[in-house]
Amino acid sequence: MIANMNKFIAIVGSNSNKSTNRELLKYMKKRFQSAAEIELVEIKNLPIYKKSADKYVPQEALDIATKIEAADGVIIATPEYDHSIPAALSSALAWLSYGIHPFVDKPVMITGASYGSLGSSRAQAQLRQILDSPELKARIMPSSEFLLGHSLQAFDENGDLKDEKVIKQLDGLFQDFLDFVNISKQLNNANEVNKQKAKEFSWDKD
């Protein structure tokens, strides 16, 4: 691995054992291996989020948070269920903003695959809103939706995308993300303050 190569965490936004969003992230890991080290992270072993008196956070969530903190950026691939992100992804993000705040000022690229023609566009819009919330405060790459529609037919037997136009778009967006991450590294002067504000925020306070 090149010494200054960016390291990204790629979150599979589904708890399904067979997910085209996982296939998409696997493809990105392989295609962009010379430009970045991409580690896939699963959320399917996380319990459903719930508040507790002692503010307990499961070790699985703490482990993911540690990986995010150490990474230069995060890629999230989300399916779309009823025009929204899956409950498993929503629950995972809730754990990752419950007394821990690894996403604060962290560059995030949103992607998504779906069986239909829309390619998880509404789920991605909702995910942007969640990542922009006071408890998460991620730095989401603007104007960067990658929408993989008809995802069951999108990959060949080797797990590679088949459509050259789709590949070209993804290549361009990933290069944009590399540039976005490098620019973001120069924009962290308020990071400590932002983390403190995220820690202090509560919907229960006036």
Side-chain angles (χ1 to χ4, degrees):
M1 189 181 72
I2 300 171
N4 61 352
M5 184 182 286
N6 283 308
K7 180 179 172 67
F8 299 146
I9 295 301
I11 297 176
V12 180
S14 169
N15 58 359
S16 171
N17 289 325
K18 291 186 178 181
S19 169
T20 52
N21 282 277
R22 184 180 295 107
E23 294 305 306
L24 173 59
L25 293 178
K26 284 182 177 179
Y27 171 76
M28 292 177 69
K29 177 178 181 175
K30 179 171 63 173
R31 182 162 183 84
F32 304 125
Q33 60 186 324
S34 63
E37 179 189 350
I38 301 176
E39 177 186 354
L40 266 66
V41 168
E42 300 282 354
I43 61 171
K44 58 185 178 180
N45 295 323
L46 282 170
I48 293 295
Y49 171 78
K50 62 178 180 180
K51 289 184 177 182
S52 60
D54 59 354
K55 291 202 169 182
Y56 168 78
V57 178
Q59 187 60 48
E60 295 91 341
L62 295 174
D63 290 343
I64 295 173
T66 298
K67 289 176 182 288
I68 293 171
E69 286 274 11
D72 296 293
V74 178
I75 304 165
I76 303 177
T78 181
E80 180 169 314
Y81 301 148
D82 298 329
H83 292 172
S84 63
I85 66 172
L89 179 55
S90 178
S91 177
L93 292 172
W95 280 127
L96 293 168
S97 57
Y98 187 50
I100 52 177
H101 304 280
F103 275 103
V104 173
D105 294 331
K106 188 68 63 175
V108 176
M109 176 182 182
I110 297 175
T111 65
S114 74
Y115 297 168
S117 59
L118 292 177
S120 78
S121 60
R122 292 179 179 175
Q124 289 193 34
Q126 184 193 41
L127 182 54
R128 282 180 177 274
Q129 281 190 310
I130 295 170
L131 290 168
D132 199 36
S133 67
E135 305 97 321
L136 283 154
K137 290 187 73 69
R139 185 173 285 152
I140 312 134
M141 186 166 77
S143 305
S144 62
E145 284 184 329
F146 179 72
L147 311 169
L148 182 63
H150 304 293
S151 57
L152 284 175
Q153 297 83 38
F155 299 94
D156 64 18
E157 63 274 10
N158 297 316
D160 297 327
L161 287 173
K162 295 189 287 189
D163 191 319
E164 286 298 325
K165 288 183 179 179
V166 172
I167 294 170
K168 186 175 181 180
Q169 181 195 18
L170 182 59
D171 285 351
L173 287 173
F174 190 78
Q175 183 57 55
D176 285 348
F177 187 54
L178 291 174
D179 293 339
F180 181 67
V181 168
N182 289 332
I183 291 170
S184 292
K185 290 176 181 177
Q186 305 169 44
L187 302 176
N188 279 333
N189 295 302
N191 182 253
E192 290 305 317
V193 174
N194 289 340
K195 282 189 174 181
Q196 189 60 38
K197 288 180 71 175
K199 288 177 182 177
E200 294 172 354
F201 181 84
S202 171
W203 291 105
D204 299 327
K205 296 178 182 177
D206 292 331

